[in-house]
Amino acid sequence: MLGIIISIISGGLLGYFFQNDYLTKNSDSLVSGGLCLLLLFVGMDIGNNQSLFSKLSKFGKKIWLLPIGTIIGSFIGGYIASYITSVHLGEGIAISMGLGWYSLSAIELSKISAELGSLAFLTNVIREVLAILTIPLVAKYIGHLESVSVAGATSMDTLLPIINKSTSPDIAVIAFFSGITLSTAVPFLVTAAIAFFHLA
């Protein structure tokens, strides 16, 4: 988290004091390249866990209900948030479809406007911070699977140790699967929301 904060502050200061015409004109290409690199590493992480699918097979088709439920819950959250804030309905849903993956959603939505990209970044970072604080409570008082849903796409990486500590090894395997599924879905969901609501 500290690294993210330092990167944002450093980028803001560099952009303010050292404006560069090349970076300004080619920012979209650079952002797209960074996004592709980010997705490459996600794919490598999936391929590196060769025993994942054999462990998941014992849970059956019901395992898909968790990531699907997380997407639906996030969609409803974005829908409600758009009515209680000044954010446009389409923008609220597009931001919520980041599912906690702040870097990707911020990159995609910053192509529309810097303000929307910043809002997507902050919203999804806050989701992760809240998840860190609430996962142990949700796991204890509501349910283990529900605690995985709170984490969203980050259940496969940054929040996996917290989920593992708060639940059980079996739930951690499900959390990893859910995180992979949601991380794979995020690029499609965000771009679909942008296209459907004509945000671009």
Side-chain angles (χ1 to χ4, degrees):
M1 186 64 69
L2 180 61
I4 295 167
I5 295 170
I6 291 172
S7 296
I8 292 296
I9 294 172
S10 300
L13 292 172
L14 286 171
Y16 184 79
F17 290 108
F18 303 99
Q19 294 183 10
N20 187 298
D21 290 337
Y22 175 80
L23 291 178
T24 302
K25 292 177 181 177
N26 298 281
S27 59
D28 285 347
S29 299
L30 294 170
V31 164
S32 296
L35 179 58
C36 289
L37 187 62
L38 192 64
L39 293 173
L40 173 67
F41 285 119
V42 171
M44 289 174 63
D45 196 24
I46 294 169
N48 193 42
N49 288 271
Q50 298 177 4
S51 63
L52 176 66
F53 295 102
S54 61
K55 290 179 181 178
L56 291 171
S57 60
K58 65 179 181 179
F59 294 107
K61 294 180 180 179
K62 290 189 291 185
I63 196 169
W64 289 97
L65 294 175
L66 182 60
I68 291 170
T70 302
I71 292 170
I72 293 170
S74 295
F75 181 93
I76 293 170
Y79 181 86
I80 293 171
S82 68
Y83 281 97
I84 60 177
T85 65
S86 60
V87 175
H88 181 270
L89 174 62
E91 294 173 346
I93 290 174
I95 290 169
S96 71
M97 288 299 94
L99 304 174
W101 192 353
Y102 45 79
S103 53
L104 189 143
S105 58
I107 287 170
E108 283 299 309
L109 293 173
S110 65
K111 294 177 182 178
I112 299 168
S113 73
E115 293 80 7
L116 188 58
S118 299
L119 183 58
F121 178 83
L122 289 172
T123 300
N124 285 288
V125 166
I126 290 169
R127 176 176 179 159
E128 183 170 348
V129 172
L130 289 174
I132 291 169
L133 298 173
T134 58
I135 282 172
L137 297 173
V138 173
K140 184 176 181 179
Y141 296 108
I142 300 176
H144 288 180
L145 291 176
E146 289 81 355
S147 70
V148 174
S149 187
V150 170
T154 57
S155 64
M156 68 174 281
D157 44 51
T158 54
L159 296 185
L160 187 58
I162 297 172
I163 293 170
N164 189 45
K165 184 178 179 181
S166 303
T167 58
S168 65
D170 282 350
I171 298 298
V173 171
I174 295 173
F176 191 84
F177 169 79
S178 179
I180 287 175
T181 304
L182 295 173
S183 295
T184 304
V186 166
F188 301 101
L189 292 171
V190 172
T191 53
I194 291 170
F196 184 82
F197 292 101
H198 306 290
L199 299 179

